[in-house]
Amino acid sequence: MKKVAIIMGSDSDFPVVKKSAEVLQQFGVPFELRVLSAHRCAAQVSEFASGAEDNGFGVIIAAAGKAAHLAGAIAGQTPLPVIGIPIKASALEGIDALLSTVQMPAGVPVATVAIDGAANAGYLAVQILSVGDDDLMSKLKAFRAEQTAKVLAADKKMQEQVL
């Protein structure tokens, strides 16, 4: 199974980013966590991104706040899918990071989740990897069935209370 890289621009992003790691652990997907800044260690970001495919990664999750160039800097140097997590880290409540992450030129896409949406980044990475992994697809389908059952149970309980 391919690994997922979870890259954060600062270690202060970890309280948000750990939700991606928790999702990947839930599905048994191997991952690596790194702190690499697009601005403060650009050469290391370039080295990581350009070697990610050869190093066994299948998806890269990149989280950054403020100018949030990390996901785009990585996406420009790898053919792998990149998922951006805009982090709420400024007076602009993450809107700056969202716009920096989502506004990519044609041909260099970054799939972008909600501000601080690390859990969904993890789920999206699982979905991407499951396309080529039947066991992972089975786990994903079972998870979705559990979600559906929980909602329907809540609906039934609500209907019993109302009627």
Side-chain angles (χ1 to χ4, degrees):
M1 176 184 298
K2 297 279 186 178
K3 302 180 288 187
V4 174
I6 304 173
I7 313 298
M8 61 198 100
S10 169
D11 60 353
S12 64
D13 300 332
F14 182 69
V16 172
V17 170
K18 72 179 181 180
K19 294 174 186 162
S20 290
E22 291 167 352
V23 169
L24 296 172
Q25 286 174 327
Q26 173 187 348
F27 284 92
V29 174
F31 64 92
E32 291 182 19
L33 281 167
R34 299 285 306 269
V35 178
L36 296 170
S37 169
H39 301 110
R40 296 183 192 104
C41 57
Q44 288 81 3
V45 169
S46 180
E47 181 181 342
F48 174 83
S50 62
E53 183 181 15
D54 290 338
N55 288 318
F57 292 99
V59 178
I60 299 171
I61 296 172
K66 299 181 182 177
H69 292 126
L70 184 59
I74 291 171
Q77 299 180 73
T78 183
L80 298 177
V82 177
I83 303 167
I85 305 171
I87 301 290
K88 187 188 306 183
S90 73
L92 298 177
E93 298 295 312
I95 298 298
D96 49 348
L98 174 64
L99 295 175
S100 294
T101 305
V102 78
Q103 293 292 342
M104 291 298 296
V108 188
V110 170
T112 307
V113 296
I115 296 168
D116 290 351
N120 267 351
Y123 290 120
L124 182 54
V126 169
Q127 284 182 290
I128 291 168
L129 292 176
S130 73
V131 170
D133 185 317
D134 292 340
D135 291 335
L136 191 55
M137 182 63 81
S138 293
K139 289 179 185 178
L140 183 60
K141 287 178 179 179
F143 170 75
R144 291 282 182 93
E146 289 173 22
Q147 283 188 308
T148 299
K150 286 179 185 177
V151 171
L152 294 177
D155 178 57
K156 182 178 179 184
K157 184 176 178 182
M158 183 60 63
Q159 295 306 313
E160 291 168 355
Q161 290 177 9
V162 175
L163 298 177

